[in-house]
């Protein structure tokens, strides 16, 4: 069984499970959502994803098990997420990207897919020189209103940035991830220098005496 993450694309969106495929909780404000007609949610969701991909780039990861989508995470700068304004602990810090969604299909839960998605997100953002990612947690022990459970966020490396009874704002500092990566690479270089055998000396040239 192979497990990996990949950047979220419009093609992947068609494979995302409902209700997330047409959810507009984060990408639109309540007034805009109330004006939509029946069946328009998916179209608006696709238009939002196209806009973010065009203006900012990759805004999510999908988890693939043997090539099949079993979960996804979505994140973007707060300017692309007007729905966040309705959370009591808004706004996010100005230096942070906002993680809005971590969803794993029920059939794949319990196998570390959620952690895999967060790790994929962190690698992506570190490469893009983002210094931090924040998320609004749900302390009620379940995902409610499209908010990620705070207990899960704590287990994958987030710390409380602004406390709240039900929706604390939590933060992962990616600068420490960059430092850890640099230290790891330096350690590996030192280990390789110890473990690798010393190169054999070059053979000496033979000198023949002329008769």
């Amino acid at each position: 069984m192979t497990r990996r993450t990949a950047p979220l694309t419009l093609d992947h969106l068609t494979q995302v499970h409902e209700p997330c495929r047409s959810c507009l909780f984060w990408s639109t404000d309540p007034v805009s959502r109330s004006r939509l007609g029946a069946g328009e949610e998916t179209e608006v969701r696709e238009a939002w994803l196209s806009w973010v991909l065009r203006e900012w780039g990759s805004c999510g990861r999908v988890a693939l098990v043997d090539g099949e989508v079993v979960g996804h995470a979505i994140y973007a700068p707060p300017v692309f997420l007007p729905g966040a304004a309705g959370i009591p602990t808004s706004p996010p810090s100005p230096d942070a990207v906002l993680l809005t969604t971590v969803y794993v299909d029920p059939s794949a839960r319990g196998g570390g897919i959620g952690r895999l998605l967060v790790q994929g997100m962190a690698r992506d953002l570190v490469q893009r020189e983002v210094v931090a990612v924040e998320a609004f947690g749900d302390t009620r022990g379940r995902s409610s209103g499209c908010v990620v459970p705070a207990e899960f966020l704590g287990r994958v490396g987030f710390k409380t940035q602004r406390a709240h009874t039900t929706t604390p704002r939590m933060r992962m500092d990616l600068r420490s991830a960059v430092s850890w990566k640099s230290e790891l690479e330096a350690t590996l270089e030192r280990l390789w220098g110890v473990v690798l055998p010393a190169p054999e000396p070059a053979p000496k040239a033979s000198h023949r005496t002329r008769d």
Side-chain angles (χ1 to χ4, degrees):
M1 181 176 67
T2 60
R3 308 192 319 167
R4 66 183 181 90
T5 68
L8 175 67
T9 66
L10 282 170
D11 289 338
H12 287 133
L13 190 60
T14 63
Q15 303 174 56
V16 167
H17 300 84
E18 289 290 6
C20 295
R21 185 185 307 167
S22 57
C23 178
L24 300 175
F25 180 82
W26 296 102
S27 53
T28 59
D29 61 88
V31 174
S32 298
R33 290 199 298 273
S34 67
R35 293 173 178 171
L36 293 175
E40 292 183 340
E41 291 87 353
T42 300
E43 181 180 347
V44 173
R45 177 71 158 173
E46 292 176 356
W48 176 84
L49 181 57
S50 296
W51 173 49
V52 181
L53 288 171
R54 182 176 62 252
E55 298 295 329
W56 186 64
S58 174
C59 61
R61 308 289 296 184
V62 292
L64 301 167
V65 175
D66 293 336
E68 181 181 353
V69 174
V70 297
H72 66 279
I74 295 176
Y75 48 91
V79 68
F80 294 105
L81 300 162
I87 304 296
T89 46
S90 281
S93 302
D95 64 345
V97 162
L98 185 62
L99 170 66
T100 63
T101 307
V102 179
Y103 177 84
V104 178
D105 185 70
S107 64
R109 291 176 185 172
I113 298 297
R115 181 179 295 273
L116 182 70
L117 285 164
V118 172
Q119 291 171 342
M121 173 199 67
R123 284 193 296 269
D124 174 39
L125 295 179
V126 165
Q127 291 173 355
R128 297 161 74 174
E129 300 183 347
V130 174
V131 300
V133 57
E134 294 187 351
F136 299 105
D138 183 352
T139 63
R140 291 167 288 186
R142 58 186 178 86
S143 181
S144 176
C146 301
V147 181
V148 181
E151 187 270 338
F152 168 78
L153 292 172
R155 283 192 285 112
V156 296
F158 284 78
K159 297 180 180 179
T160 300
Q161 179 77 0
R162 182 180 175 188
H164 189 268
T165 305
T166 58
T167 51
R169 176 159 46 87
M170 305 180 72
R171 179 180 175 97
M172 177 189 290
D173 190 344
L174 297 175
R175 288 170 294 192
S176 61
V178 174
S179 174
W180 174 83
K181 180 182 177 183
S182 299
E183 292 173 3
L184 175 62
E185 290 175 347
T187 301
L188 288 174
E189 287 179 0
R190 290 194 297 269
L191 287 174
W192 288 334
V194 171
V195 173
L196 289 178
E200 296 181 2
K204 296 181 179 180
S206 60
H207 298 282
R208 293 185 178 178
T209 304
R210 293 185 178 179
D211 294 337

